Amino acid sequence: MLLVYNGNENNKKITETPLYWVIHNTKYDATRLLEHPVLHDVVMQKWKVFGHRMFIKYVGLYMLFVMTMTHSSTMHISDATAYPIQLQVWVYLGASLGIMVILAWASPGYEHRLNWVLLGIVLSVTSFVIFNHYMERLMAAINWSTFVRTNNILLGVLAVVFLVFEVIEYCSVIANEKRKISKFHLVIFHHWMRPLLITVDFLMIPINYHLNEEYYQSEFNTFQVPTYLAVLVYVVAQLTDAFSDSMNLFMSVTLTFMLWVLGLQLLEVHPTVGYVIPMMRDVVKDVLRFFAFVGPFLCAYTFAYYILFQSLGDKVPPAYSSIPRTFTTTYLVVLGEMDLDPFSELPTTFKYFLGHLLLLSQGTVVFVMLTNMLIAMMAKTVGDGLKKAKTAQMTTFASCVLRCEKLRGFNPLGAYPTEKKEGKPEADQLPFEVYERTTAEQLQALESNLQDFKNQTTKQLQALESNTTERLRALEDNTAERLEALKNDMARLQVNFRLPQLEPAASATTV
């Protein structure tokens, strides 16, 4: 167990642990090894030792991150109006999330989690009662501009925190290499090379090549660093009032949407919802493939409609007055939204016929054929996903545990015994029992298992032979009884109907 937990003896790198190899191996589909009892126990022990606490802290900080971003999208520092609802949500929810993070930080261990949950509930209810009692006074005394500015500053701090998390995870492979370099070069590496590597790697996404393939195996990691950097830019613009109203609206809507969507990764540890996330990820890939195929059709019909209606001169319908509006109208046909009035008002017979021909062909090709193809693709993906649901859920959970270990840093558990001792070596402060056996002991145990298997198989064969013999004897007795009963029935028939007695055949024929 300790060998599977730490990897080889004297291992100091997370990349040489079995869990890292199973999750990030692309040459072989090794995720099914997670169903092995030993590796499954290792994942659960890592979850109990550090994963549970780190995940709770991460969830609390991320929910606080999403809350501050949502509040920032609904408030502006230049407005003189008050934000009573935002303040109430900030106080009540922010206090509860802060209590959750603090308790997760101070929790003594996995075994006492229920007691700390009850303590968190008591503290949250107490804070709710206290803040509810003084809420009117707080709203009357608060400076709303300061409130908005403080929310934006906290949003920027949380964005930096999560950027640090991503940098640590991205460079976990390099960070575990114990190289003898000076502190000056180490500072240069941490503060300049890491961001440069991440930036270059992100720019190489379109060509599907990465410097760190393991990091980008998770689709969520593709969007996290750009989103957090955009949040930092948004915070600076909010504090300096650098964005226009349109740009501010676009950034706030986009970033709020992205943060809520990225929060789906927090559901990976759930025992029943966890397997849905990989399945939905495959469904999204099917949708992207569908749009890659249907895109040329939409562009073809867009330009065809635009050219057709531009020939009307000043009588162009508003829905086809420009290429973007024409594309929007054309795309809505895929969803079943058809407006026949512009086609019915075409002046000449030729244009009327051409317009309806385009509309009918689009409805047939795009709406009937391609949409049904998308439904078939998604049905197959969901069906295959349900078959692999157990392995997918275990993989997502193990990936979450490995991510926590990357952020925490690799810390080998216990120590390997340096002397050969009889019995079990001592392993202080281990969450499970460790027993390292020598090669001779392993061979002896294997021979013992083989002998036990041979004895068990022999007993089973003997029992099967005895059972077969008894069943054959019972069948013979049953057959004899049925033949005797049949003879008696034939004798009664001969007596009742006076049938001639059957004589044995003559040995020779007389001519």
Side-chain angles (χ1 to χ4, degrees), residues 293-350:
F293 183 74
V294 79
F297 287 93
L298 292 177
C299 293
Y301 282 105
T302 296
F303 287 103
Y305 288 139
Y306 181 74
I307 295 172
L308 174 64
F309 285 101
Q310 287 300 312
S311 64
L312 300 180
D314 297 335
K315 298 180 180 181
V316 179
Y320 299 93
S321 59
S322 63
I323 292 180
R325 290 187 177 184
T326 306
F327 180 82
T328 303
T329 306
T330 306
Y331 177 76
L332 291 177
V333 176
V334 181
L335 305 179
E337 295 289 336
M338 294 186 182
D339 186 9
L340 299 178
D341 292 338
F343 295 89
S344 301
E345 297 175 355
L346 290 172
T348 63
T349 305
F350 175 73

Side-chain angles (χ1 to χ4, degrees), residues 283-408:
V283 170
V284 171
K285 292 180 180 178
D286 289 340
V287 173
L288 293 178
R289 297 189 189 100
F290 167 76
F291 279 106
F293 183 74
V294 79
F297 287 93
L298 292 177
C299 293
Y301 282 105
T302 296
F303 287 103
Y305 288 139
Y306 181 74
I307 295 172
L308 174 64
F309 285 101
Q310 287 300 312
S311 64
L312 300 180
D314 297 335
K315 298 180 180 181
V316 179
Y320 299 93
S321 59
S322 63
I323 292 180
R325 290 187 177 184
T326 306
F327 180 82
T328 303
T329 306
T330 306
Y331 177 76
L332 291 177
V333 176
V334 181
L335 305 179
E337 295 289 336
M338 294 186 182
D339 186 9
L340 299 178
D341 292 338
F343 295 89
S344 301
E345 297 175 355
L346 290 172
T348 63
T349 305
F350 175 73
K351 293 180 180 179
Y352 181 88
F353 174 77
L354 180 60
H356 282 79
L357 179 63
L358 289 174
L359 184 63
L360 292 176
S361 63
Q362 182 190 5
T364 303
V365 175
V366 177
F367 184 69
V368 177
M369 297 175 56
L370 298 182
T371 305
N372 288 332
M373 181 185 69
L374 174 63
I375 295 174
M377 292 168 56
M378 294 173 62
K380 184 178 183 302
T381 300
V382 173
D384 295 341
L386 291 176
K387 295 178 182 179
K388 304 175 182 178
K390 182 179 179 181
T391 304
Q393 194 278 330
M394 295 178 65
T395 304
T396 54
F397 178 74
S399 300
C400 177
V401 174
L402 182 61
R403 173 182 171 87
C404 294
E405 190 171 20
K406 291 178 181 178
L407 298 178
R408 172 180 178 257

Side-chain angles (χ1 to χ4, degrees), residues 208-225:
N208 196 23
Y209 177 79
H210 302 290
L211 301 174
N212 190 344
E213 295 287 348
E214 292 82 1
Y215 177 79
Y216 284 98
Q217 284 182 358
S218 173
E219 286 78 5
F220 291 107
N221 291 343
T222 304
F223 301 97
Q224 288 188 126
V225 172

Side-chain angles (χ1 to χ4, degrees), residues 220 263-281 389 392-394 396-397:
F220 291 107
L264 291 174
Q265 61 182 322
L266 303 178
L267 300 176
E268 291 180 339
V269 301
H270 197 276
T272 56
V273 183
Y275 76 90
V276 179
I277 296 178
M279 187 168 57
M280 294 305 298
R281 188 184 299 121
Q393 194 278 330
M394 295 178 65
T396 54
F397 178 74

